[in-house]
Amino acid sequence: MWFAGPARRAPVAGRPGALRLGFTLRPGMRVGLFGGSFNPAHEGHAHVAETARRRLGLDRVVWLVSPQNPLKSRHETADLPQRMAGARALAQGPGMVISDIETRLGSAYTIDTIRTLKARFPGVHFVWIMGADSLAGFHRWKGWTQIMHEVPVAVVSRPWISLKSRFSPTAKRFAHSRRSSAAAMDLPGSKPPGWVFLRGPLNFQSSTALRERMRRAKA
């Protein structure tokens, strides 16, 4: 069984993919990192990314399409090119970037990806973006407390789960670090830990529901 806990620093030197990330960022940029399996990508993901981009005043939102979520089984996950294509089809707004950087780096955990990007792009103001459904289970992620101390975090409301997520282990542990949504524009570049909960119109699409409809269509 997989357990959450502190993450060791994973070296990436010598990996060819670490030298070719597929995108570039400039010092001073405000950049959101939006990670997930996107299995498949749906309008709810686009809603989270666009809400964060607009409310935080981000120059870029990098969709980090993971090679494999450690918390999900492999047989439930479509291949990477298919999930990348689905994300590209949805991320049509300004400043959206679709990336397979975690595959290039051989990174299994978010904490390793964040640390690598911070080292590679000094002077860039990174923010981690996630939906409220991810916040509800964030304490199961490897190095979750370290992530909160590496970058500010923006959480976007999602249907049915938003209230539960605000009483999650992460929300409770970092309650003192929560900032007003009215100050969301100040989050990029601020010293972590710090997080905001962004409310807005809810999008009811989910990857689970889409996979079930696809399965029934094939039956």
Side-chain angles (χ1 to χ4, degrees):
M1 182 177 291
W2 185 89
F3 293 95
R8 296 179 180 179
R9 292 186 179 272
V12 297
R15 296 189 64 93
L19 302 177
R20 301 184 299 273
L21 301 186
F23 60 86
T24 186
L25 303 172
R26 299 187 303 274
M29 275 187 166
R30 299 155 65 95
V31 177
L33 301 175
F34 183 33
S37 299
F38 303 109
N39 182 46
H42 55 73
E43 291 291 344
H45 292 134
H47 168 73
V48 168
E50 179 57 27
T51 297
R53 186 197 67 80
R54 179 172 46 83
R55 297 282 297 275
L56 302 177
L58 301 175
D59 299 299
R60 299 282 188 277
V61 175
V62 181
W63 295 46
L64 302 169
V65 184
S66 66
Q68 174 60 46
N69 187 329
L71 297 177
K72 297 180 180 178
S73 63
R74 291 185 178 276
H75 78 271
E76 295 177 340
T77 305
D79 61 32
L80 181 62
Q82 181 179 340
R83 291 182 287 118
M84 291 278 289
R88 286 195 185 97
L90 281 169
Q92 298 294 324
M96 298 294 170
V97 177
I98 309 303
S99 175
D100 61 352
I101 181 179
E102 292 187 315
T103 298
R104 293 170 183 254
L105 297 175
S107 175
Y109 301 111
T110 294
I111 183 64
D112 297 328
T113 305
I114 290 173
R115 285 170 172 168
T116 299
L117 287 172
K118 287 179 63 178
R120 181 69 180 269
F121 298 111
V124 171
H125 305 303
F126 289 110
V127 177
W128 184 257
I129 299 168
M130 61 182 163
D133 46 345
S134 293
L135 178 63
F138 191 65
H139 59 287
R140 298 175 63 205
W141 293 27
K142 195 74 171 178
W144 64 283
T145 59
Q146 293 163 294
I147 293 172
M148 295 294 291
H149 283 92
E150 285 284 350
V151 289
V153 174
V155 181
V156 179
S157 59
R158 291 285 288 146
W160 302 299
I161 195 72
S162 290
L163 183 61
K164 179 181 178 181
S165 70
R166 287 159 58 193
F167 291 94
S168 66
T170 304
K172 290 180 178 178
R173 179 159 181 169
F174 290 94
H176 64 286
S177 301
R178 183 177 174 184
R179 302 176 186 180
S180 167
S181 60
M185 280 284 185
D186 297 327
L187 190 68
S190 64
K191 184 178 180 180
W195 63 285
V196 296
F197 192 96
L198 303 176
R199 301 178 183 85
L202 298 177
N203 186 295
F204 286 81
Q205 282 204 20
S206 74
S207 293
T208 302
L210 284 176
R211 287 197 300 272
E212 179 61 19
R213 286 202 293 270
M214 293 164 65
R215 185 189 66 79
R216 290 180 179 178
K218 293 178 180 178

